[in-house]
Amino acid sequence: MIEEKFDAIVVGAGMSGNAAAYIMASNGLNVLQLERGEYPGSKNVQGAIMYANMLEKIIPDFRDDAPLERHLVEQRLWVMDETSHTGIHYRSDDFNEVKPNRYTIIRAQFDKWFSRKVREAGATVLCETTVTELVRDAQDKVVGVRTDRAGGPIFADVVVLAEGVSGLLGTRAGLRKMPKPETVALAVKEMHFLPEEVIEQRFGVKGDEGCVIEAVGTISRSMAGLGFLYTNKESISLGIGCLVSDFAATMESPYVLLDAFKNHPSIRPLIAGSEVKEYAAHLIPEGGHKAIPQLFGDGWVVVGDAAQLNNAIHREGSNLAMTSGRIAAEAIVGVKRRNNPMTRRNLTIYKTMLDNSFVVKDLRKYKDMPALIHTNSSNFFTTYPRLISLAAQNLMRVDGTPKIEKEKATTRAFINVRSRWGLVSDAVRLALAWR
Amino acid sequence: MTIAVTNLRVEDKLYQNRYLVDPGRPHIKVRPHESPSANLRALTHICPAKCYELNDKGQVEITADGCMECGTCRILCESNGEIEWNYPRGGFGVLFKFG
Ligand SMILES: Cc1cc2nc3c(=O)[nH]c(=O)nc-3n(C[C@H](O)[C@H](O)[C@H](O)COP(=O)(O)OP(=O)(O)OC[C@H]3O[C@@H](n4cnc5c(N)ncnc54)[C@H](O)[C@@H]3O)c2cc1C
Ligand code: SF4
């Protein structure tokens, strides 16, 4: 199909692949990008909060024409039990800045825009093309790919694997292991459409301002999980995700969880009267630092979710994907400029640069969190949320009981359920993992 | 208190989505088996598109038309050969309008 040899082939047109292809093409490399979807974004799912700084490093004036929904001025973190939520809300007018820091986006639209930028930078982008295999030479160096289109293999000096969390190519070629059920979460999500004014009223925002809610608690039915609600211009993205291993153990159905979340008395009024236009499902890498695979080899690098570069604690993925794509591209451009071959040795620079960036530093900081949360999910997601609700209600009901007795009752409830030792050890372990 | 979930049909949810089905070329296959493993049986509950179902002989079958290509079943059942998982041909399968 394509006879020429490329400087680089990028597999995937998601956040990481677009960043990589854009940077390499902008630096004059001859880039081919292959995407299996009908259009970029047609296979992709995100919450979605997009972080401006990381995109600015790639496309500084992105605000001029990128499809952005709302910039965030308020974030709510809710701990929920069956009938209540206890929340921390942070809202600041400082977020109404000239160049806002975080935006909600709709991935299918955003990916199309990003892909247009990639083409404008000079890369060749082919959609509806699934890459089926990596091609290697006698020395085992990756030298190209095969696709499901007619024709032979396509060759390049280096292949950037930006194939996302389930990444068949890299796992089948033995470049990395398949993610384990306890290192990936399954998330389901719906798009609820409502008139702009209704969203502004319900969330107390105006113009482009937006608000997000993130929720933990009994909504995940003892599994390690998170619910979310993000405001877009004329729609609300709403979803919930839990570890695949927990789903397999409990046999809970994700759509039942999602519907229960939607029907929670704290959520239901926020989406009342909406029209649902899509139901989506996707995996999220949650293994953190310990799950990062080998990142480069002879003729290849891996970026984004395929490399498990996802910060589950802060719900950041797209920015790590964009940044790893950019850094991989800069490393490749550097090797190319020196006229060096794309060997394992020369591509080491990618890992060195990534280790020095916020991507790996953040993941390293929380390296013990995934294991802690996984082994304690029923305490963190059911017991504590119920206790917190009990404590708040006890405090707020005015019924003639002296306050001192109320406080004692709350303390007793915590100790009864979890024991003094349990409480202290959970607190210590959480503090150590957070450190 | 548990929250009652009424009339929940995944089929109705999937109906909102856009798909381009590749007739006669299912991208996921279940290996014939006598009785399903725990993971394979779990898929009848946890596949978000309800693609997996038990037949009257107690075996697990798949109809992959509504599949959202999330990969959950691959993570649980590919490595021991219980299912065979591939991406649909380029352009086919689920087409998210929003994502
Ligand atoms: C429900 C949900 C909510 C999220 N919320 C947030 C959030 O609010 N903020 C945030 O920062 N992150 C969030 N994330 C994470 C974020 O979506 C990911 O980290 C990010 O999309 C990863 O980008 P990527 O380029 O690595 O992979 P992807 O965006 O998944 O892109 C991979 C691309 O490769 C293509 N592809 C795969 N294999 C092949 C092949 N063989 N041939 C051709 N093409 C192929 C796919 O079609 C796809 O386009 C969320 C994720 C989910 C699922
Ligand atoms: S990939 Fe996901 S949606 Fe498709 S059959 Fe497997 S579990 Fe179901």
Side-chain angles (χ1 to χ4, degrees), chain A residues 12 15-16 35-36 44 46-47 49 107 131 163 305 317-318:
Chain A
M15 288 289 195
S16 61
E35 165 59 48
R36 67 188 190 86
N44 302 340
Q46 194 180 329
I49 303 177
R107 268 299 290 273
V131 179
E163 51 179 338
D305 275 9
S318 63

Side-chain angles (χ1 to χ4, degrees), chain A residues 45-331:
Chain A
V45 180
Q46 194 180 329
I49 303 177
M50 197 277 296
Y51 304 88
N53 288 60
M54 290 77 199
L55 181 55
E56 243 168 8
K57 286 224 163 72
I58 300 161
I59 303 179
D61 55 359
F62 77 89
R63 289 181 183 84
D64 292 350
D65 57 357
L68 306 168
E69 294 289 313
R70 292 176 179 275
H71 73 270
L72 300 178
V73 296
E74 179 170 339
Q75 175 132 7
R76 308 180 185 172
L77 179 63
W78 285 2
V79 179
M80 300 174 93
D81 74 353
E82 287 78 356
T83 52
S84 77
H85 73 263
T86 311
I88 305 172
H89 293 196
Y90 184 71
R91 182 182 176 115
S92 173
D93 198 39
D94 295 346
F95 290 127
N96 280 316
E97 51 212 327
V98 183
K99 294 186 164 187
N101 179 254
R102 303 184 304 162
Y103 296 88
T104 49
I105 57 166
I106 292 174
R107 268 299 290 273
Q109 292 163 10
F110 185 87
D111 287 7
K112 270 189 205 161
W113 166 84
F114 205 165
S115 179
R116 200 182 74 227
K117 293 283 171 186
V118 170
R119 266 174 278 138
E120 284 167 9
T124 306
V125 182
L126 267 188
C127 290
E128 303 188 299
T129 310
T130 302
V131 179
T132 50
E133 210 185 322
L134 293 174
V135 181
R136 306 204 213 198
D137 67 10
Q139 283 75 47
D140 232 22
K141 180 180 188 295
V142 172
V143 292
V145 301
R146 279 179 206 281
T147 75
D148 63 353
R149 291 205 178 211
I154 316 171
F155 296 101
D157 289 335
V158 63
V159 174
V160 178
L161 293 163
E163 51 179 338
V165 56
S166 15
L168 256 68
L169 282 181
T171 50
R172 292 217 172 133
L175 305 181
R176 66 187 122 88
K177 291 206 179 74
M178 183 118 99
K180 295 194 183 69
E182 57 275 18
T183 62
V184 281
L186 164 62
V188 285
K189 179 192 158 186
E190 280 179 356
M191 285 294 275
H192 288 252
F193 281 77
L194 280 167
E196 225 173 304
E197 319 81 73
V198 174
I199 293 181
E200 289 173 15
Q201 250 165 30
R202 285 185 190 172
F203 293 89
V205 291
K206 59 177 190 330
D208 286 343
E209 292 173 346
C211 166
V212 304
I213 302 175
E214 270 151 339
V216 292
T218 57
I219 48 166
S220 64
R221 305 192 176 171
S222 297
M223 300 185 277
L226 181 89
F228 63 86
L229 184 160
Y230 297 160
T231 54
N232 303 316
K233 199 97 200 154
E234 299 179 322
S235 61
I236 289 174
S237 306
L238 181 146
I240 186 162
C242 302
L243 288 178
V244 168
S245 52
D246 284 354
F247 271 123
T250 59
M251 297 214 195
E252 292 280 0
S253 298
Y255 38 88
V256 174
L257 235 54
L258 180 64
D259 271 56
F261 183 51
K262 277 158 51 183
N263 280 305
H264 189 283
S266 298
I267 297 289
R268 196 172 39 210
L270 298 174
I271 53 167
S274 67
E275 187 192 350
V276 182
K277 293 201 181 166
E278 190 167 79
Y279 168 60
H282 205 277
L283 295 177
I284 308 176
E286 305 251 329
H289 191 259
K290 289 179 180 158
I292 300 177
Q294 173 67 31
L295 291 168
F296 60 94
D298 281 328
W300 63 273
V301 294
V302 57
V303 295
D305 275 9
Q308 296 262 328
L309 301 172
N310 202 303
N311 185 341
I313 304 299
H314 286 266
R315 288 104 34 226
E316 294 174 26
S318 63
N319 53 340
L320 279 64
M322 282 190 276
T323 303
S324 60
R326 171 179 63 80
I327 290 178
E330 286 168 357

